[in-house]
Amino acid sequence: QLACPLDLAVTQLNTVYQGFPIVNTRADMILCGYITRTNLEIALEKAKSRGTVYGTTRCLFTRAAGSFSASSPFSTPYIDLSEWVDRCPVQLVDSTPVDRMYDMFKALGLRYTMITSNGKIVGMVTKKDLYLFFHNLEKEKGKAMTPLRSYDH
């Protein structure tokens, strides 16, 4: 069960990021999912419209079977965001060559991918990041790079 206070989730909406990796803990950084900025905004607005959430209300991103029963008198108030989380975001290992990464983005129509090492997130690459990489490489080399010419961004 991954949770954070509502205040923290709302703070994330004030960043430029279009989504957020969900990790088990900051210490182990094991990737558990991904939530887009849009999904987070929608889910939080729905929860706020019910009028029962506060800055300290917990936001749950994943649920273990049988945990946190909403009807349990012992459970603390929470917002269940698990239905908005992509539990299986596309992952590439940190040793993946950039040309193979390009092929994956193009073939699968990816907008982002998580970069992992032994299941731990070490980074994230977006479509824009990849485009800028090839664009800068093209400027550096002084000639058009094949992937950039065919890259649809």
Side-chain angles (χ1 to χ4, degrees), residues 54-125:
Y54 309 96
T56 56
T57 303
R58 305 293 284 174
C59 294
L60 275 180
F61 292 97
T62 63
R63 293 182 71 173
S67 66
F68 275 108
S69 167
S71 61
S72 168
F74 303 106
S75 65
T76 58
Y78 67 94
I79 302 169
D80 185 357
L81 300 174
S82 61
E83 67 183 83
W84 299 93
V85 173
D86 176 359
R87 290 180 186 85
C88 300
V90 175
Q91 301 175 46
L92 296 174
V93 295
D94 57 350
S95 60
T96 304
V98 73
D99 57 337
R100 176 144 321 139
M101 190 179 298
Y102 166 80
D103 291 340
M104 296 278 297
F105 268 76
K106 187 163 174 119
L108 300 175
L110 300 178
R111 293 183 309 172
Y112 61 86
T113 185
M114 303 297 131
I115 307 300
T116 59
S117 177
N118 297 320
K120 297 178 181 188
I121 189 165
V122 294
M124 181 173 151
V125 174

Side-chain angles (χ1 to χ4, degrees), residues 17-50:
Y17 303 112
Q18 296 302 307
F20 310 95
I22 309 295
V23 295
N24 190 42
T25 66
R26 284 187 179 188
D28 70 20
M29 295 298 284
I30 294 175
L31 183 64
C32 297
Y34 180 81
I35 188 166
T36 65
R37 172 191 207 87
T38 303
N39 284 350
L40 183 58
E41 287 173 339
I42 292 169
L44 293 178
E45 281 305 313
K46 281 185 174 187
K48 284 191 227 173
S49 70
R50 291 187 209 116

